[in-house]
């Protein structure tokens, strides 16, 4: 995660800031070894994040979420070189799922942290993060959409299931799959999937896409929509 957002300023606090603070208070109480085990990371990353949690203030020195995350998806989305129109599109249509914050708008102010949704966080107030967030992520996401909501899923399964398990009859939830035909089977290769997810967001912003079926025109990284492998709730792109 980046501390440098250039000249972009956050526009709001995350909607579930109080719930994020409760998690921070718990994480701050952990010993270094317990936090390292929870985060499932190496010594250097654990020490970095132990220090962060000891001094973290969720309301100070925040940067917009869209330019704070620096994973592969975001590198290929390239939000730092978005046009103003692309930023407007992201404000309206893009939401980011987070283990710590629950759900984020692109310009919500956040601080660097590490907490994956699948972390084995068992406390007096929750048995894991899926339990902690419950239906609140889905309800916030659905509440911002026309009824019934139309959700195009570009998240990994780790995050998607925080929404999928709460879907209601009539909701549209379409998962994009980026795969390769290998020995007669469709296989996803992690790095390329992440790259494609980022490029898909950029493609949607570039073309101001508001109907899910229009993403079928995506051809980034050599992927092409495969109608024969797809279904109404699963769009498969092959290369």
């Amino acid at each position: 995660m980046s501390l440098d957002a250039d000249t972009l300023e956050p526009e709001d606090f995350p909607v579930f800031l109080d719930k994020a603070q409760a998690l921070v208070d718990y994480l701050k109480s952990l010993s270094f070894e317990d936090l390292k085990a929870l985060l499932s990371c190496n010594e250097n990353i654990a020490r970095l994040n132990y220090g962060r949690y000891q001094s973290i203030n969720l309301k100070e020195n925040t940067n917009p979420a869209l330019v704070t995350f620096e994973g592969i998806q975001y590198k290929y989305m390239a939000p730092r070189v978005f046009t103003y129109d692309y930023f407007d599109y992201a404000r309206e249509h893009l939401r980011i799922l987070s283990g710590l914050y629950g759900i984020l708008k692109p310009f919500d102010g956040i601080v660097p942290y590490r907490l994956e949704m699948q972390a084995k966080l068992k406390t007096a107030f929750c048995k894991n993060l899926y339990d902690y967030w419950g239906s609140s992520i889905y309800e916030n996401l659905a509440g911002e959409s026309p009824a019934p909501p139309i959700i195009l899923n570009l998240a990994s399964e780790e995050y998607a299931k925080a929404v999928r398990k709460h879907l209601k009859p009539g909701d549209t939830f379409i998962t994009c799959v980026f795969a390769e035909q290998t020995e007669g089977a469709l296989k996803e290769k992690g790095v390329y999937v992440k790259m494609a997810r980022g490029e898909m967001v950029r493609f949607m912003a570039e073309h101001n896409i508001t109907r899910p079926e229009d993403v079928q025109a995506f051809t980034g990284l050599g992927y092409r929509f495969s109608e024969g492998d797809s279904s109404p709730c699963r769009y498969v792109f092959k290369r």
Side-chain angles (χ1 to χ4, degrees):
M1 300 184 75
S2 172
L3 290 168
D4 175 23
D6 297 324
T7 58
L8 293 173
E9 295 291 332
E11 297 175 352
D12 205 348
F13 287 117
V15 64
F16 296 125
L17 193 65
D18 288 347
K19 286 177 71 72
Q21 184 62 57
L23 288 175
V24 165
D25 291 343
Y26 172 76
L27 294 168
K28 187 182 293 188
S29 73
L30 296 179
S31 68
F32 170 74
E33 292 299 331
D34 286 343
L35 183 67
K36 181 183 176 184
L38 175 67
L39 300 183
S40 298
C41 58
N42 64 38
E43 186 88 3
N44 289 337
I45 293 175
R47 291 203 177 281
L48 171 64
N49 286 280
Y50 180 77
R52 282 173 171 169
Y53 280 122
Q54 291 305 305
S55 60
I56 198 169
N57 186 324
L58 297 180
K59 293 185 177 181
E60 293 183 359
N61 300 316
T62 63
N63 285 319
L66 188 62
V67 292
T68 300
F69 292 108
E70 288 195 321
I72 294 172
Q73 296 97 320
Y74 293 90
K75 291 184 184 298
Y76 278 78
M77 192 191 310
R80 290 175 180 269
V81 290
F82 269 18
T83 65
Y84 288 117
D85 287 345
Y86 291 12
F87 282 129
D88 289 341
Y89 180 89
R91 279 188 187 91
E92 183 174 357
H93 296 287
L94 177 65
R95 296 297 178 264
I96 301 165
L97 305 189
S98 161
L100 180 65
Y101 289 99
I103 189 168
L104 296 162
K105 294 179 181 178
F107 279 84
D108 282 350
I110 66 171
V111 297
Y113 70 93
R114 184 183 180 92
L115 184 65
E116 296 181 357
M117 188 68 79
Q118 63 187 358
K120 296 179 180 179
L121 185 85
K122 188 173 183 179
T123 74
F125 54 84
C126 67
K127 59 184 180 181
N128 54 43
L129 284 172
Y130 299 105
D131 174 50
Y132 184 70
W133 290 111
S135 63
S136 58
I137 294 175
Y138 163 79
E139 289 169 358
N140 181 266
L141 190 62
E144 291 194 289
S145 304
I150 299 173
I151 301 167
L152 188 73
N153 172 35
L154 290 168
S156 66
E157 180 58 22
E158 173 188 351
Y159 289 89
K161 69 181 183 181
V163 174
R164 184 187 289 111
K165 63 188 295 185
H166 301 288
L167 294 172
K168 297 179 180 178
D171 292 349
T172 298
F173 188 84
I174 302 168
T175 295
C176 289
V177 176
F178 302 96
E180 300 181 25
Q181 194 82 35
T182 305
E183 298 177 352
L186 289 175
K187 294 185 179 180
E188 295 182 275
K189 295 187 177 180
V191 173
Y192 293 105
V193 171
K194 293 175 181 179
M195 292 161 59
R197 287 170 178 157
E199 290 228 353
M200 177 64 88
V201 174
R202 188 174 186 84
F203 169 81
M204 294 175 69
E206 180 181 358
H207 296 280
N208 192 32
I209 287 177
T210 56
R211 301 188 310 165
E213 59 267 29
D214 289 344
V215 306
Q216 296 172 9
F218 176 76
T219 58
L221 301 171
Y223 286 101
R224 297 291 187 277
F225 177 71
S226 175
E227 185 172 359
D229 294 296
S230 299
S231 68
C233 62
R234 186 173 181 262
Y235 289 177
V236 176
F237 296 83
K238 293 197 305 188
R239 68 172 199 158

